[in-house]
Amino acid sequence: MKREGLIKQMAEEKRPWDLLIIGGGATGLGVAVDASSRGYRVLLVEQHDFAKATSSRSTKLVHGGVRYLQQGDVSMVVEALHERGRLWRNAPHLVKDMRFIIGNYRWWERPFYTIGLCCYDLLAGRLGLGRSLPLSKKQTLKELPGLLHDHLRGGVVYHDGQFDDSRMAITLMQSAHDHGAICINYMKVTSLIKNDSGKICGAALEDTLEGGTYEVNVKGVVNATGVYVDDIMQMDKPESRKKVRPSQGVHIVVDAAFLGGNSALMIPKTRDGRVLFGVPWHGKAVLGTTDTPLNENSLEPKPLDEEIDFILDQAGQYLTRKPKRSDVLSVFAGLRPLAAPTHSDSKKTKEISRNHKIYVSDSGMLTITGGKWTTYRQMAEEAVNKVAALIGLEPRVCVTRKMQLHGYREEVDRSVWDYVYGSDADQIAALIENDASLGELLHIGYTFRVAHVIWAVREEMAQTVEDVLARRVRALFMDARAAMEMAPRVAAIMAREMGKDKNWETEQVKNFISLAKNYILA
């Protein structure tokens, strides 16, 4: 899977693509998988790297949304629970069942949460992951030894899914490729081309890595650019009203010892009324998230001090070992593309819909925004059904509900990094078997190897050191300082593999170090 080869194939194609998908996050890649698996001819372009923005910065959960059940949004919870089960079934190497513990410190909490979570289980039906049960104090502390002991009466356990978000995005990109789609990163749409009837019939593209411009002919366009959907909509129609209100969510990563077990912590009500999670992830613990309304978009949003302090404070009220700023290994922020409220003066993100929205412009462009990782597949099915009818494509049945995604493997060893590759791990092992030097570790504290960098370049379209350390092996999100230490080695490996010179190598390290400093607390 070579980027230059895919660009050449795109440039030489004279027939119109059935669909041009703009955006390489969860939504766009999901649409690419759905459309290509139906047999449509698909081109997807992403202005940066796949999952660069929101789709690599989640809480790492595949979940129904317990708090939405509490708010009475039953239909959204049912949809998400069913999609959770499908995603677990379609990519078992990436999605796993996680036991979540709610510690109970008041007499009424155990029966209250047990009843509520049993309803959560019932809504999942045959796609459920496990039963919710009340726990004694002893059982609760066995599951989550790091939970605050004082005044603990017991707990409740329930089940939800846990995954690696950007690895899922890469899996979707590979799955779309397996079905004939062309997905290209660092390819930006600069303008939309319309025919005499005012309908979109093509797009102008710019290669932001190597330079060069291209024009492609298309039958239909899907705008799946997350927090940037308004930019594309205004490119289509400058007077378009904004459809998205971004909300920033911040997460901090600390050592897994703060939780002390293999189960996750769920705090049902924080100071701002949100839930807070502590989730085991690749040998670390992810704590979050916040919900801060913003008016501006950024590919690298900055966590606010008050958001960091909020997470540390709220988590510290439930953990025996209270996390401090000095304990934070990495901090990252993501922007949720929430559907904008109808009243322009609405400030609270709880008033902004979490459901996805689909819009169709006069020029025939379909825009899809909102939603969440868990429901990406359902969103894609709806979008492809609608756009196919809109532009007159031959109707074809969606096949993704039971489709095994790229790398599908039911049993994986989660004690080593390689499990995220599923069946592709065998090919990575073969690389090492043929050349023992590729088995060398990138860092003594982690199981990332030289072969993983080679694989990222050859088979996962990684183009920069950031692509590898942020979204292919996740080091930046797990331990930013360790990622900085790996950067020179990764740059050297990539330079040899890609035929780049020393100047490229030096510039890559410089750029990555500058970026990684934003993931470290001073």
Side-chain angles (χ1 to χ4, degrees):
M1 191 182 296
K2 293 293 185 181
R3 182 175 182 272
E4 56 269 28
L6 295 176
I7 292 175
K8 184 173 185 290
Q9 188 177 341
M10 175 194 74
E12 293 177 350
E13 181 58 71
K14 301 305 179 186
R15 294 177 298 164
W17 298 92
D18 289 333
L19 290 180
L20 168 65
I21 300 165
I22 310 172
T27 305
L29 290 166
V31 172
V33 171
D34 186 293
S36 61
S37 63
R38 296 192 200 199
Y40 297 137
R41 299 176 60 256
V42 173
L43 171 65
L44 178 147
V45 295
E46 160 58 43
Q47 68 170 335
H48 200 276
D49 185 31
F50 305 113
K52 160 67 177 178
T54 309
S55 297
S56 61
R57 300 161 186 268
S58 73
T59 314
K60 321 306 176 194
L61 300 181
V62 180
H63 63 137
V66 171
R67 74 187 182 101
Y68 303 128
L69 182 61
Q70 191 176 14
Q71 294 170 2
D73 197 342
V74 176
S75 62
M76 187 168 75
V77 173
V78 170
E79 177 185 81
L81 285 171
H82 290 181
E83 289 303 311
R84 179 195 69 177
R86 292 184 181 111
L87 189 49
W88 180 47
R89 184 176 59 195
N90 295 348
H93 60 296
L94 279 172
V95 180
K96 69 173 183 177
D97 170 32
M98 175 66 73
R99 293 168 67 86
F100 285 78
I101 307 299
I102 302 176
N104 302 152
Y105 294 88
R106 300 178 183 88
W107 68 267
W108 55 267
E109 289 180 331
R110 186 158 40 164
F112 176 78
Y113 289 121
T114 299
I115 293 170
L117 290 166
C118 284
C119 293
Y120 190 65
D121 298 342
L122 288 171
L123 293 174
R126 291 181 294 108
L127 291 170
L129 303 183
R131 289 181 59 201
S132 299
L133 296 168
L135 302 175
S136 67
K137 178 177 180 178
K138 183 177 180 181
Q139 290 171 318
T140 301
L141 291 176
K142 183 178 179 181
E143 292 259 9
L144 207 60
L147 194 63
L148 188 66
H149 295 43
D150 295 347
H151 308 296
L152 181 69
R153 292 171 175 265
V156 179
V157 60
Y158 75 96
H159 297 253
D160 250 327
Q162 194 263 354
F163 80 141
D164 186 295
D165 46 14
S166 75
R167 289 303 318 175
M168 180 62 75
I170 299 304
T171 294
L172 292 178
M173 182 268 290
Q174 292 171 313
S175 299
H177 179 82
D178 292 345
H179 286 91
I182 288 183
C183 303
I184 304 175
N185 50 1
Y186 297 98
M187 188 67 70
K188 184 177 183 178
V189 174
T190 55
S191 66
L192 299 170
I193 301 168
K194 299 179 181 180
N195 60 24
D196 293 340
S197 301
K199 300 295 184 180
I200 296 175
C201 61
L205 311 176
E206 178 187 357
D207 184 342
T208 61
L209 265 188
E210 304 295 338
T213 58
Y214 305 89
E215 284 192 5
V216 292
N217 300 316
V218 303
K219 295 179 183 178
V221 174
V222 176
N223 173 17
T225 51
V227 293
Y228 292 96
V229 296
D230 289 327
D231 294 349
I232 302 298
M233 293 183 80
Q234 288 171 359
M235 184 184 292
D236 173 34
K237 187 177 180 181
E239 63 271 24
S240 296
R241 185 177 67 84
K242 289 193 173 182
K243 302 295 187 184
V244 165
R245 175 73 183 279
S247 168
Q248 178 160 288
V250 169
H251 299 83
I252 64 174
V253 179
V254 296
D255 192 274
F258 281 91
L259 298 178
N262 296 320
S263 298
L265 167 68
M266 197 274 241
I267 300 171
K269 192 169 184 179
T270 60
R271 193 172 64 233
D272 72 344
R274 287 182 58 82
V275 300
L276 189 79
F277 293 100
V279 184
W281 184 66
H282 297 320
K284 309 297 180 188
V286 178
L287 306 178
T289 180
T290 57
D291 197 3
T292 307
L294 295 180
N295 293 316
E296 295 182 355
N297 297 327
S298 170
L299 282 171
E300 280 293 336
K302 300 291 195 313
L304 303 175
D305 282 338
E306 53 263 38
E307 292 179 298
I308 296 164
D309 292 340
F310 170 80
I311 294 173
L312 292 173
D313 172 70
Q314 295 296 287
Q317 292 184 29
Y318 288 84
L319 297 175
T320 299
R321 182 182 168 193
K322 303 182 186 306
K324 304 183 295 294
R325 292 176 74 92
S326 58
D327 296 313
V328 176
L329 300 172
S330 182
V331 57
F332 58 91
L335 301 182
R336 305 178 189 91
L338 304 182
T342 54
H343 302 293
S344 59
D345 60 348
S346 181
K347 300 295 183 184
K348 296 180 181 179
T349 58
K350 69 180 181 180
E351 299 172 14
I352 304 175
S353 176
R354 257 63 179 175
N355 290 304
H356 64 274
K357 304 285 187 182
I358 293 178
Y359 307 98
V360 176
S361 72
D362 294 338
S363 65
M365 181 175 74
L366 183 142
T367 294
I368 179 166
T369 190
K372 59 182 181 177
W373 247 119
T374 306
T375 56
Y376 89 88
R377 194 215 60 81
Q378 177 64 35
M379 293 166 62
E381 180 179 348
E382 290 181 27
V384 176
N385 285 344
K386 191 154 191 171
V387 75
L390 179 70
I391 63 177
L393 295 179
E394 177 188 342
R396 293 171 183 169
V397 176
C398 172
V399 298
T400 59
R401 290 192 175 206
K402 295 183 178 180
M403 190 179 83
Q404 296 179 356
L405 295 177
H406 183 92
Y408 178 93
R409 175 170 280 173
E410 292 186 10
E411 298 295 332
V412 292
D413 179 4
R414 297 184 185 275
S415 66
V416 294
W417 171 253
D418 294 65
Y419 81 83
V420 300
Y421 300 98
S423 60
D424 282 351
D426 296 341
Q427 297 180 61
I428 296 174
L431 290 176
I432 296 172
E433 187 176 337
N434 291 332
D435 182 351
S437 68
L438 301 187
E440 294 175 6
L441 295 174
L442 300 178
H443 190 284
I444 194 170
Y446 295 87
T447 58
F448 310 135
R449 302 182 185 276
V450 173
H452 296 133
V453 181
I454 299 293
W455 185 259
V457 172
R458 292 180 184 175
E459 301 295 338
E460 297 178 343
M461 291 184 70
Q463 303 297 310
T464 70
V465 169
E466 180 196 338
D467 294 350
V468 172
L469 288 176
R471 290 171 292 280
R472 303 309 188 278
V473 302
R474 310 317 311 270
L476 178 61
F477 287 79
M478 293 164 61
D479 188 337
R481 291 179 180 84
M484 291 168 70
E485 294 170 10
M486 296 180 210
R489 182 84 184 277
V490 171
I493 296 165
M494 294 183 74
R496 287 195 300 272
E497 183 68 21
M498 300 169 70
K500 301 293 186 179
D501 60 21
K502 193 68 178 178
N503 289 336
W504 180 91
E505 193 176 324
T506 301
E507 188 70 14
Q508 281 292 306
V509 174
K510 177 184 174 184
N511 291 344
F512 182 78
I513 297 299
S514 176
L515 173 77
K517 287 179 179 177
N518 295 322
Y519 290 69
I520 296 173
L521 296 184

